[in-house]
Amino acid sequence: MSEFTIVCQEHPQYLQYTLSGDHTDQDWVDLLHRMAADVERTGKMRIYIDAVEVTWTDSVMLRYRVGVLTGKLFGGTTRIAALTRADDSDPLWETVASNRGAIVRLGHDGDDLLKWLAQDA
């Protein structure tokens, strides 16, 4: 089991979180709260998450709970793009978060996600 790591980089227009390793449900909750605090601190309303190196999970409940919390913490104020592994095709997080007002996009092409992130809301 490898440790869950988060590397945060502040770019001129967005915050980037590069994730890797094995995770617990609490790791995702902690990450979302950290992201919300970073948005508050920096005023940057765009987030890029690179989760390609995260150990894959098929936990439907985890994806659902993270989607609900994403909607609750960010609503329609912050654009969030998440790059996932090519073998991860479950859009549940994106669907749940979007249904709760969040502006999110999930995908496998980092360049496309960054273009989407740069668009005006």
Side-chain angles (χ1 to χ4, degrees), residues 61-111:
M61 286 311 300
L62 173 60
R63 291 170 191 260
Y64 177 80
R65 286 192 300 266
V66 170
V68 169
L69 186 57
T70 301
K72 179 179 178 182
L73 292 176
F74 300 101
T77 63
T78 304
R79 290 174 77 85
I80 303 172
L83 178 67
T84 61
R85 297 162 48 118
D87 62 350
D88 183 358
S89 60
D90 186 344
L92 184 61
W93 166 78
E94 181 181 26
T95 301
V96 172
S98 294
N99 286 345
R100 280 151 184 79
I103 306 167
V104 297
R105 174 149 306 168
L106 189 64
H108 306 297
D109 185 320
D111 291 335

Coordinates of all heavy atoms in Angstrom, one line a residue, residues 61-111:
M61 N -20.5 4.4 -3.4 CA -20.8 5.3 -2.3 C -19.8 6.4 -2.1 O -20.1 7.6 -1.8 CB -21.0 4.5 -1.0 CG -22.3 3.8 -1.0 SD -23.8 4.8 -1.5 CE -23.8 6.1 -0.2
L62 N -18.5 6.1 -2.3 CA -17.4 7.1 -2.2 C -17.6 8.2 -3.2 O -17.6 9.4 -3.0 CB -16.1 6.5 -2.3 CG -14.9 7.5 -2.3 CD1 -14.9 8.4 -1.1 CD2 -13.6 6.8 -2.5
R63 N -17.8 7.8 -4.5 CA -18.0 8.7 -5.6 C -19.3 9.6 -5.3 O -19.2 10.8 -5.6 CB -18.1 8.0 -6.9 CG -16.8 7.3 -7.3 CD -17.1 6.4 -8.5 NE -15.9 5.6 -8.8 CZ -15.0 5.9 -9.7 NH1 -15.1 6.9 -10.5 NH2 -13.9 5.1 -9.9
Y64 N -20.3 9.0 -4.8 CA -21.5 9.7 -4.5 C -21.3 10.7 -3.4 O -21.6 11.9 -3.6 CB -22.6 8.7 -4.1 CG -23.9 9.4 -3.7 CD1 -24.8 9.9 -4.7 CD2 -24.2 9.7 -2.4 CE1 -26.0 10.5 -4.4 CE2 -25.4 10.3 -2.0 CZ -26.2 10.8 -3.0 OH -27.4 11.4 -2.7
R65 N -20.7 10.3 -2.3 CA -20.4 11.2 -1.2 C -19.5 12.4 -1.6 O -19.7 13.5 -1.2 CB -19.9 10.5 0.0 CG -20.9 9.6 0.7 CD -20.4 9.1 2.1 NE -19.2 8.3 1.9 CZ -19.2 7.0 1.8 NH1 -20.3 6.3 1.9 NH2 -18.0 6.3 1.8
V66 N -18.5 12.1 -2.4 CA -17.6 13.1 -2.8 C -18.3 14.1 -3.8 O -18.1 15.3 -3.7 CB -16.3 12.5 -3.5 CG1 -15.5 13.5 -4.2 CG2 -15.5 11.7 -2.4
G67 N -19.2 13.6 -4.6 CA -20.0 14.4 -5.5 C -20.9 15.4 -4.7 O -21.0 16.6 -5.0
V68 N -21.5 14.8 -3.7 CA -22.4 15.7 -2.8 C -21.6 16.7 -2.1 O -22.0 17.9 -2.1 CB -23.1 14.8 -1.8 CG1 -23.8 15.6 -0.7 CG2 -24.1 13.9 -2.5
L69 N -20.5 16.4 -1.6 CA -19.6 17.3 -0.9 C -19.1 18.4 -1.8 O -19.0 19.6 -1.5 CB -18.5 16.6 -0.1 CG -17.6 17.5 0.8 CD1 -18.5 18.3 1.8 CD2 -16.6 16.7 1.5
T70 N -18.7 18.0 -3.0 CA -18.2 18.9 -4.0 C -19.3 20.0 -4.3 O -19.0 21.2 -4.3 CB -17.8 18.2 -5.3 OG1 -16.8 17.3 -5.1 CG2 -17.3 19.2 -6.4
G71 N -20.5 19.6 -4.5 CA -21.6 20.5 -4.7 C -21.8 21.4 -3.5 O -22.0 22.6 -3.7
K72 N -21.7 20.9 -2.3 CA -22.0 21.6 -1.1 C -20.9 22.7 -0.9 O -21.2 23.8 -0.6 CB -22.0 20.7 0.1 CG -22.2 21.4 1.4 CD -22.3 20.4 2.5 CE -22.4 21.1 3.9 NZ -22.4 20.2 5.0
L73 N -19.6 22.3 -1.1 CA -18.5 23.2 -0.8 C -18.3 24.3 -1.9 O -17.9 25.4 -1.6 CB -17.2 22.4 -0.6 CG -17.1 21.6 0.6 CD1 -15.8 20.8 0.6 CD2 -17.2 22.4 1.9
F74 N -18.5 23.9 -3.2 CA -18.2 24.8 -4.3 C -19.4 25.3 -5.1 O -19.2 26.4 -5.7 CB -17.2 24.1 -5.3 CG -16.0 23.6 -4.6 CD1 -15.8 22.3 -4.2 CD2 -15.0 24.6 -4.3 CE1 -14.6 21.9 -3.5 CE2 -13.8 24.2 -3.7 CZ -13.6 22.9 -3.3
G75 N -20.5 24.6 -5.0 CA -21.7 25.1 -5.8 C -21.3 25.6 -7.2 O -20.5 24.9 -7.8
G76 N -21.9 26.7 -7.6 CA -21.6 27.2 -8.9 C -20.5 28.3 -9.0 O -20.5 29.0 -9.9
T77 N -19.7 28.3 -8.0 CA -18.7 29.4 -7.9 C -17.3 29.0 -8.4 O -16.5 29.9 -8.7 CB -18.5 29.9 -6.4 OG1 -18.0 28.8 -5.6 CG2 -19.8 30.4 -5.9
T78 N -17.0 27.7 -8.5 CA -15.7 27.3 -8.8 C -15.7 26.2 -9.9 O -16.5 25.3 -9.8 CB -15.0 26.7 -7.6 OG1 -15.0 27.7 -6.5 CG2 -13.5 26.3 -7.8
R79 N -14.9 26.4 -10.9 CA -14.8 25.4 -12.0 C -13.8 24.3 -11.6 O -12.6 24.7 -11.2 CB -14.4 26.0 -13.3 CG -15.5 26.9 -13.9 CD -15.0 27.6 -15.1 NE -14.9 26.7 -16.3 CZ -15.9 26.5 -17.1 NH1 -17.1 27.0 -16.9 NH2 -15.8 25.7 -18.2
I80 N -14.1 23.1 -11.7 CA -13.2 22.0 -11.3 C -13.1 21.0 -12.4 O -14.1 20.4 -12.8 CB -13.7 21.3 -10.0 CG1 -13.9 22.3 -8.8 CG2 -12.8 20.1 -9.6 CD1 -14.5 21.7 -7.6
A81 N -11.9 20.8 -12.9 CA -11.6 19.7 -13.9 C -10.8 18.6 -13.3 O -9.8 18.9 -12.6 CB -10.8 20.4 -15.1
A82 N -11.2 17.4 -13.5 CA -10.5 16.3 -12.9 C -10.0 15.3 -14.0 O -10.8 14.8 -14.7 CB -11.4 15.5 -11.9
L83 N -8.7 15.1 -14.0 CA -8.1 14.1 -15.0 C -8.0 12.8 -14.3 O -7.5 12.7 -13.2 CB -6.7 14.6 -15.3 CG -5.9 13.7 -16.3 CD1 -6.6 13.7 -17.7 CD2 -4.5 14.2 -16.4
T84 N -8.6 11.8 -14.9 CA -8.6 10.4 -14.3 C -7.9 9.4 -15.2 O -7.6 9.7 -16.3 CB -10.1 10.0 -14.0 OG1 -10.8 9.9 -15.3 CG2 -10.8 10.9 -13.1
R85 N -7.8 8.3 -14.6 CA -7.1 7.1 -15.3 C -7.9 6.7 -16.5 O -9.2 6.8 -16.5 CB -7.0 5.9 -14.4 CG -6.1 6.2 -13.2 CD -6.4 5.2 -12.1 NE -6.4 3.8 -12.6 CZ -5.5 2.9 -12.2 NH1 -4.6 3.2 -11.3 NH2 -5.5 1.7 -12.7
A86 N -7.3 6.3 -17.5 CA -8.0 5.8 -18.7 C -8.9 4.7 -18.5 O -9.9 4.5 -19.2 CB -6.9 5.4 -19.8
D87 N -8.6 3.8 -17.5 CA -9.5 2.7 -17.2 C -10.6 3.1 -16.2 O -11.4 2.2 -15.7 CB -8.7 1.5 -16.6 CG -8.0 1.8 -15.3 OD1 -7.9 3.0 -14.9 OD2 -7.4 0.9 -14.7
D88 N -10.8 4.3 -15.9 CA -11.8 4.8 -15.0 C -12.9 5.5 -15.8 O -12.7 6.7 -16.2 CB -11.3 5.7 -13.9 CG -12.3 6.1 -12.9 OD1 -13.5 5.8 -13.0 OD2 -11.9 6.9 -12.0
S89 N -14.0 4.9 -16.1 CA -15.0 5.5 -17.0 C -16.3 5.8 -16.2 O -17.3 6.0 -16.8 CB -15.3 4.5 -18.1 OG -15.7 3.3 -17.7
D90 N -16.2 5.8 -14.9 CA -17.5 6.0 -14.1 C -17.6 7.5 -13.8 O -16.9 8.1 -13.1 CB -17.3 5.3 -12.7 CG -18.6 5.3 -11.9 OD1 -19.5 6.2 -12.2 OD2 -18.8 4.6 -11.0
P91 N -18.7 8.1 -14.4 CA -18.9 9.5 -14.3 C -19.8 9.9 -13.1 O -20.3 11.1 -13.0 CB -19.6 9.9 -15.6 CG -20.5 8.7 -15.8 CD -19.6 7.5 -15.4
L92 N -19.9 9.0 -12.1 CA -20.9 9.3 -11.0 C -20.5 10.6 -10.3 O -21.4 11.4 -10.0 CB -20.9 8.1 -10.1 CG -22.0 8.3 -8.9 CD1 -23.4 8.4 -9.5 CD2 -21.9 7.1 -8.0
W93 N -19.2 10.8 -9.9 CA -18.8 12.0 -9.2 C -19.3 13.2 -10.0 O -19.9 14.2 -9.4 CB -17.3 12.0 -9.0 CG -16.9 13.4 -8.5 CD1 -17.0 13.9 -7.3 CD2 -16.3 14.4 -9.4 NE1 -16.4 15.2 -7.3 CE2 -16.0 15.5 -8.6 CE3 -15.9 14.5 -10.7 CZ2 -15.4 16.7 -9.0 CZ3 -15.3 15.6 -11.2 CH2 -15.1 16.7 -10.4
E94 N -19.0 13.3 -11.3 CA -19.3 14.4 -12.1 C -20.8 14.6 -12.1 O -21.3 15.8 -12.0 CB -18.8 14.2 -13.5 CG -19.1 15.3 -14.5 CD -18.5 15.1 -15.9 OE1 -18.4 13.9 -16.3 OE2 -18.3 16.0 -16.6
T95 N -21.6 13.6 -12.3 CA -23.0 13.6 -12.4 C -23.6 14.2 -11.1 O -24.5 15.1 -11.1 CB -23.7 12.3 -12.7 OG1 -23.1 11.8 -14.0 CG2 -25.2 12.3 -12.8
V96 N -23.2 13.6 -9.9 CA -23.8 14.0 -8.6 C -23.4 15.4 -8.3 O -24.2 16.2 -7.9 CB -23.3 13.0 -7.5 CG1 -23.6 13.6 -6.1 CG2 -23.8 11.6 -7.7
A97 N -22.1 15.8 -8.5 CA -21.7 17.2 -8.3 C -22.4 18.2 -9.2 O -22.9 19.2 -8.7 CB -20.2 17.3 -8.5
S98 N -22.6 17.9 -10.4 CA -23.3 18.7 -11.4 C -24.7 18.9 -11.0 O -25.3 20.0 -11.0 CB -23.2 18.2 -12.8 OG -21.9 18.2 -13.3
N99 N -25.4 17.8 -10.5 CA -26.8 17.9 -10.1 C -26.9 18.7 -8.9 O -28.1 19.1 -8.6 CB -27.3 16.5 -9.9 CG -27.6 15.7 -11.2 OD1 -27.6 16.3 -12.3 ND2 -27.7 14.4 -11.1
R100 N -25.9 19.0 -8.2 CA -25.9 19.8 -7.0 C -25.3 21.2 -7.2 O -25.0 21.9 -6.3 CB -25.2 19.1 -5.8 CG -26.1 18.1 -5.2 CD -25.4 16.9 -4.6 NE -26.3 15.9 -4.1 CZ -27.0 15.0 -4.9 NH1 -26.7 15.0 -6.2 NH2 -27.8 14.1 -4.4
G101 N -25.2 21.6 -8.5 CA -24.9 22.9 -8.9 C -23.4 23.2 -9.1 O -23.0 24.3 -9.5
A102 N -22.6 22.2 -8.9 CA -21.1 22.4 -9.1 C -20.8 22.4 -10.6 O -21.5 21.8 -11.4 CB -20.3 21.3 -8.5
I103 N -19.8 23.2 -11.0 CA -19.3 23.3 -12.4 C -18.1 22.4 -12.4 O -17.0 22.8 -12.1 CB -18.9 24.7 -12.7 CG1 -20.1 25.6 -12.4 CG2 -18.5 24.8 -14.2 CD1 -19.7 27.1 -12.5
V104 N -18.3 21.1 -12.9 CA -17.2 20.1 -12.9 C -17.1 19.4 -14.3 O -18.1 19.4 -15.0 CB -17.4 19.1 -11.8 CG1 -17.3 19.7 -10.4 CG2 -18.7 18.3 -11.9
R105 N -16.0 18.9 -14.5 CA -15.8 18.1 -15.7 C -14.8 17.0 -15.4 O -13.7 17.3 -14.8 CB -15.3 18.9 -16.9 CG -15.0 18.0 -18.1 CD -15.2 18.6 -19.4 NE -16.5 19.1 -19.7 CZ -16.8 19.8 -20.7 NH1 -15.9 20.1 -21.6 NH2 -18.0 20.3 -20.9
L106 N -15.0 15.8 -15.8 CA -14.2 14.7 -15.6 C -13.7 14.2 -17.0 O -14.5 14.2 -18.0 CB -15.0 13.6 -15.0 CG -14.4 12.3 -14.5 CD1 -13.5 12.6 -13.3 CD2 -15.5 11.4 -14.0
G107 N -12.4 13.8 -17.1 CA -12.0 13.4 -18.4 C -10.6 12.7 -18.4 O -10.0 12.6 -17.3
H108 N -10.2 12.2 -19.5 CA -8.9 11.5 -19.7 C -7.9 12.3 -20.5 O -6.8 11.8 -20.7 CB -9.2 10.1 -20.4 CG -10.2 9.3 -19.7 ND1 -10.1 8.9 -18.4 CD2 -11.4 8.9 -20.1 CE1 -11.2 8.2 -18.0 NE2 -12.0 8.2 -19.1
D109 N -8.3 13.5 -21.0 CA -7.4 14.3 -21.8 C -7.1 15.6 -21.1 O -7.9 16.5 -21.0 CB -8.0 14.5 -23.2 CG -7.1 15.3 -24.1 OD1 -6.4 16.2 -23.7 OD2 -7.1 14.9 -25.3
G110 N -5.9 15.7 -20.5 CA -5.5 16.9 -19.7 C -5.6 18.2 -20.5 O -6.0 19.2 -20.0
D111 N -5.2 18.2 -21.8 CA -5.2 19.4 -22.6 C -6.6 19.9 -22.8 O -6.9 21.1 -22.6 CB -4.5 19.2 -23.9 CG -3.0 19.0 -23.8 OD1 -2.4 19.5 -22.8 OD2 -2.5 18.3 -24.7

